Amino acid sequence: MSGDASMRIPEQVIDNIMQKNDIVDVISEYVSLKRVGRNFMGVCPFHNDKGPSLSVSPDKQLFHCFGCGAAGNVVGFIMKIRNLDYIDAIRFLADRVNITLDTSSNKDTEIEKIYEINIQAARFFYNNLKQNSEKIKYLLNRGLDIKTIQKFGLGYSIDSYDGLINFFKKKGYDEKLLIKAGLVSQKENRIYDRFRNRIMFPVFDHKGRVIGFGGRVLDDSKPKYLNSPETPVFKKGTNLYALNFVLKKGTPDALILVEGYMDCIKLHQHGIENTVATLGTALTKEQARLIKRYCNTVYLCYDSDAAGRTATLRGIEVLHSEGLNVKIINIPRGKDPDEFINTFGVGEFKKLIEKSLTAIEHLIYASKENKNLDDPRDRSNFIKEVIDILKILNNEVEVHSYAAKIYELTGISIQVILDQLNKVKNMKTNNWNNNYGNRNNNIGGNTFMEPGYKKAERKLLMLILKDDDIKEYILQKVNREDFITPSYKKVATLILENGLKEVNDIIKHFEEQNEIQDVALIFAEEDLTEMDFETVEGLIRTLKRTKIERQIENIKLKIKEKERSNDFNDLLNLTRQLEELKRQLSLL
């Protein structure tokens, strides 16, 4: 087992829970199933399914949808259908079969104490604000009302080095625990309040527990925002601000993602209550996976300055990598959402939502910026860039639609654009798909196939598990380090080093929903009839080729860095490595 779930619930208890929750019985509570041969079939609840594409195997205790690709065991199904994380899904299934989870002996009392301290600190900051009319006036002048201030638990940290310390001392708390909670800092032998003379924003996890704080200065001091450091309960890049308030209203159809606390709070105040914010960091894969747990569509609404545009491009990549449908809300006139609403009102902001662009459209128009399309060189560069964007599309209708837009912008005929696109697709494996592709990924509403190397990994693992003759052949040419997908690399380790073979023995080592799906799909594959040695050799080549192509891309990036620093010795070594990798690639 991995993660803190295993620390709290013994593995044998989890095994017992899973054994007593037959997957057919559990899924039957949500989907009408009908036996077809050895399996059961039903209408998939995870996409707009018109026919029975959901297959449930009582033998393997797995489900697999042939339409949307969803797959997993009974825990994975509950995680997906009820929007739960791993440990909560285990608890749900335990309750279902009347298994009492006595985790008191494993309970991390320090973590519970930190949660308790955070609640006390939030109340302390809130009471400080209530007693300070000047600071309340500051928030009112920023456009917030009293109801919103109360809803988000906003507060104030007094201008003192020991105000919070003295508050907790009177309550008998240990200073060391305050330091671990990130509320108190230590320099040599001196301890002092981390947050001083700041408006305080309590940060909640999706369950509504206070996990940390953000503090905004009231003057021109730096930094403008100060966030809690990482603590046992607060991990940067794994939570989304205000998600707990969104979920109180039910599962959202879509989320609006903004950068700042105030942007998020202001949108909630104006009734746009499906808004969340990142916590002072660039959007991470963990945050994208958290979003994916609740909805499939994300509206990116970052500031319109240069930093905001860069963050938008990065956000598109990260969200796309998790299969999310991405739309872009463009804020004009160099403003952020908070400033825009203060200036133009929420009605105008809602119009921006209606006019949001698909990610593809946004990337095309971003490429057009600062180019004179009447100039042949700029027009040629623009065409090259948009071809690089369009090559990620598999839907021909969408490709033609965007090609028509490009024709309107440039006068280059649609057929020339399509011919160039086909040439690029034939010449080179799609880099975007290699780096960011997933089963049923969506960007701008288009469906994407998962990258070829991932299919190859899955089939090779299936063969290693099911065919001893081919297994020996594969292991002569492939080792676990050759696997690219992290979940499949871990499966290879569990098979080759731990000797595991059965699906339930392997799948219980995974707690992330997308990883559970990856593992389940290995065992969902049934067809071995065409798996001769020639086919297997092709799978191995795909894996090796992708690995070398990625190494080549990394070397090229390093070479660019060394060229800027004029580091000739390293540049020479890197060039030799590049040539060797190209030679190896040519032999495959």
Side-chain angles (χ1 to χ4, degrees), residues 29 64 66 95 195 376 410 419 458 494 514 574:
E29 294 175 6
H64 176 216
F66 299 103
D95 289 341
F195 299 100
T410 64
D419 289 345
R458 186 163 61 246
L494 291 169
N514 63 314
L574 288 169

Side-chain angles (χ1 to χ4, degrees), residues 76-318:
F77 181 85
I78 290 298
M79 289 173 71
K80 195 169 181 67
I81 197 77
R82 299 190 68 89
N83 295 324
L84 299 175
D85 59 21
Y86 183 85
I87 189 64
D88 286 337
I90 290 292
R91 292 182 186 280
F92 176 88
L93 290 168
D95 289 341
R96 183 180 176 276
V97 292
N98 298 317
I99 293 177
T100 301
L101 294 178
D102 180 12
T103 59
S104 57
S105 59
N106 300 296
K107 196 172 186 180
D108 193 333
T109 55
E110 184 179 272
I111 286 177
E112 294 301 320
K113 278 287 186 183
I114 289 174
Y115 281 127
E116 184 182 300
I117 285 170
N118 285 341
I119 292 172
Q120 296 279 358
R123 289 172 181 163
F124 173 78
F125 295 137
Y126 178 72
N127 286 329
N128 288 345
L129 181 67
K130 279 173 55 178
Q131 296 166 25
N132 194 314
S133 57
E134 181 188 344
K135 304 305 182 286
I136 291 176
K137 186 178 179 182
Y138 167 84
L139 290 172
L140 295 176
N141 288 339
R142 289 290 304 271
L144 299 185
D145 58 34
I146 294 296
K147 186 177 178 181
T148 299
I149 292 169
Q150 292 172 339
K151 173 183 174 180
F152 285 88
L154 304 189
Y156 171 62
S157 57
I158 59 176
D159 193 6
S160 166
Y161 281 90
D162 58 5
L164 188 66
I165 292 172
N166 290 333
F167 169 77
F168 278 112
K169 275 185 178 178
K170 290 177 183 177
K171 292 181 173 291
Y173 285 91
D174 186 347
E175 291 176 352
K176 291 180 180 178
L177 207 52
L178 299 178
I179 295 170
K180 283 191 175 181
L183 290 164
V184 171
S185 298
Q186 183 174 24
K187 190 173 184 180
E188 297 175 352
N189 294 324
R190 179 171 171 254
I191 65 167
Y192 51 91
D193 288 2
R194 178 178 177 84
F195 299 100
R196 303 179 301 281
N197 194 29
R198 290 175 180 267
I199 295 296
M200 298 301 294
F201 299 82
V203 177
F204 305 88
D205 66 10
H206 68 283
K207 297 178 182 178
R209 298 175 298 191
V210 182
I211 57 174
F213 295 89
R216 189 197 191 282
V217 295
L218 294 157
D219 50 29
D220 294 327
S221 302
K222 301 294 181 182
K224 183 178 178 182
Y225 278 95
L226 179 66
N227 291 317
S228 292
E230 291 214 347
T231 73
V233 302
F234 180 63
K235 306 295 180 188
K236 290 182 180 178
T238 60
N239 290 281
L240 290 165
Y241 182 70
L243 181 59
N244 58 307
F245 297 110
V246 175
L247 297 179
K248 277 186 179 180
K249 299 288 183 179
T251 304
D253 294 326
L255 286 173
I256 296 174
L257 185 60
V258 297
E259 289 184 273
Y261 297 110
M262 286 298 294
D263 294 331
C264 184
I265 292 171
K266 185 66 68 69
L267 289 174
H268 274 259
Q269 179 173 292
H270 286 287
I272 304 174
E273 295 181 287
N274 62 329
T275 306
V276 295
T278 52
L279 295 168
T281 61
L283 183 70
T284 66
K285 276 185 168 291
E286 289 79 8
Q287 288 169 325
R289 288 169 187 158
L290 185 59
I291 292 169
K292 181 69 173 176
R293 190 186 297 175
Y294 301 105
C295 65
N296 290 317
T297 300
V298 184
Y299 291 83
L300 272 181
C301 184
Y302 287 168
D303 298 355
S304 55
D305 57 14
R309 289 195 294 271
T310 301
T312 297
L313 292 175
R314 167 64 180 161
I316 289 171
E317 292 179 358
V318 173

